[in-house]
């Protein structure tokens, strides 16, 4: 382990924590860090960064959006180069209703940019989207699929983390922040015990995932 490049974050601890290597080098504690391209502390910060990156990708292809290429090809290109940037790491996001609206609004504006639709043209979102689902629905489906896959991977540590709830520490005053388990409950309408049972069967969990996607 390279102690100079290694950082750590602490959760649910009010007192300072000291971690040292076997050689006695102290590991630096940081409030947040990027891991595999995603920021760890909050979904809000990660979403903000993903939105900015998606707009850079979209604006960088302005000539293509204004070209004579077919609308079908442009949409496929948009999905591969812009939507994929926006949704990177979304399977692990805890998305509140406010954040979902922000993401849907951003996606709508990106679609308008790709289709060269000015707001003065008064095109409805139904016309703009066609058969495309809302972005928040895509995120919900990806998240539930990912959670089920992780839970069924019994040989991996992540299987034990899907339904993990901290047993120590205290939440801050005010409205409690949503946990990943809370979001999965909203996605599926199931309690933890029922989710655990459903996740064990790939076909049952797939049916629940698709049902949740089409019910919104």
């Amino acid at each position: 382990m390279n102690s100079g490049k290694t950082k750590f974050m602490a959760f649910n601890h009010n007192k300072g924590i000291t971690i040292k290597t076997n050689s006695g080098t102290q590991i630096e504690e940081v409030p947040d860090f990027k891991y595999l391209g995603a920021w760890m502390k909050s979904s809000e910060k990660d979403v903000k960064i993903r939105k900015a990156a998606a707009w850079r990708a979209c604006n960088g292809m302005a000539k293509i959006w204004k070209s004579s290429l077919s609308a079908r090809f442009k949409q496929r290109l948009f999905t591969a180069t812009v939507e994929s940037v926006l949704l990177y790491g979304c399977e692990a996001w805890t998305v509140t209703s406010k954040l979902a609206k922000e993401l849907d609004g951003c996606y709508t504006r990106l679609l308008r940019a790709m289709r060269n639709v000015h707001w003065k043209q008064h095109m409805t979102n139904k016309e703009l989207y066609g058969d495309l689902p809302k972005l928040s629905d895509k995120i919900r489906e990806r998240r539930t699929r990912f959670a089920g896959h992780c839970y069924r991977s019994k040989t991996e540590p992540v299987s034990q983390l899907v339904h993990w709830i901290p047993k120590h520490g205290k939440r801050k005053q005010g409205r409690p922040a949503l946990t990943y388990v809370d979001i999965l409950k909203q996605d599926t309408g199931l309690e933890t015990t029922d989710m655990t049972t459903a996740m064990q069967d790939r076909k049952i969990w797939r049916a629940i995932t698709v049902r949740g996607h089409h019910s919104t």
Side-chain angles (χ1 to χ4, degrees):
M1 181 178 70
N2 188 322
S3 58
K5 295 182 178 180
T6 303
K7 318 293 180 185
F8 80 93
M9 289 174 60
F11 292 91
N12 295 330
H13 285 277
N14 296 324
K15 298 180 180 180
I17 297 177
T18 300
I19 299 178
K20 294 182 178 181
T21 64
N22 292 334
S23 62
T25 303
Q26 185 168 326
I27 304 299
E28 180 185 358
E29 180 179 359
V30 294
D32 195 8
F33 67 87
K34 184 189 288 187
Y35 179 68
L36 297 178
W39 289 90
M40 296 290 99
K41 187 173 182 179
S42 71
S43 296
E44 287 79 6
K45 179 177 180 179
D46 203 33
V47 166
K48 182 178 180 180
I49 293 172
R50 300 320 308 169
K51 286 164 61 178
W55 273 112
R56 287 196 297 271
C58 186
N59 292 333
M61 302 182 70
K63 290 184 178 180
I64 293 179
W65 307 144
K66 295 177 181 179
S67 71
S68 59
L69 292 170
S70 69
R72 181 185 178 88
F73 180 78
K74 288 181 182 178
Q75 181 172 308
R76 292 175 61 186
L77 198 59
F78 175 85
T79 300
T81 61
V82 178
E83 182 182 305
S84 61
V85 172
L86 181 59
L87 293 182
Y88 180 82
C90 70
E91 295 86 352
W93 290 346
T94 51
V95 181
T96 62
S97 56
K98 178 182 178 181
L99 197 58
K101 289 180 180 179
E102 290 181 10
L103 283 162
D104 285 334
C106 177
Y107 190 66
T108 298
R109 291 188 292 274
L110 286 168
L111 277 178
R112 287 181 177 274
M114 182 269 290
R115 298 191 191 283
N116 296 302
V117 177
H118 194 271
W119 65 271
K120 290 183 179 180
Q121 294 179 246
H122 301 294
M123 176 182 285
T124 65
N125 284 347
K126 185 176 182 180
E127 293 173 320
L128 178 70
Y129 276 73
D131 58 355
L132 290 175
K134 291 195 305 182
L135 191 75
S136 55
D137 289 341
K138 288 187 178 183
I139 295 172
R140 182 181 299 109
E141 183 171 4
R142 287 192 182 194
R143 181 171 50 235
T144 50
R145 282 187 180 184
F146 177 71
H149 174 73
C150 289
Y151 183 76
R152 289 189 297 273
S153 302
K154 295 299 183 180
T155 59
E156 301 294 335
V158 70
S159 178
Q160 304 300 317
L161 296 176
V162 174
H163 295 129
W164 179 75
I165 299 176
K167 302 297 183 183
H168 63 281
K170 296 181 179 179
R171 284 188 172 185
K172 296 180 180 180
Q173 293 183 346
R175 185 176 181 179
L178 288 174
T179 66
Y180 195 69
V181 177
D182 293 331
I183 295 295
L184 289 177
K185 288 179 180 179
Q186 291 181 7
D187 290 342
T188 62
L190 300 175
E191 292 300 320
T192 304
T193 303
D194 295 328
M195 272 198 294
T196 300
T197 302
M199 283 180 173
Q200 294 176 12
D201 189 304
R202 188 187 303 272
K203 291 183 178 179
I204 292 176
W205 187 246
R206 170 61 178 163
I208 291 173
T209 299
V210 174
R211 181 187 67 196
H213 173 77
H214 289 292
S215 64
T216 52

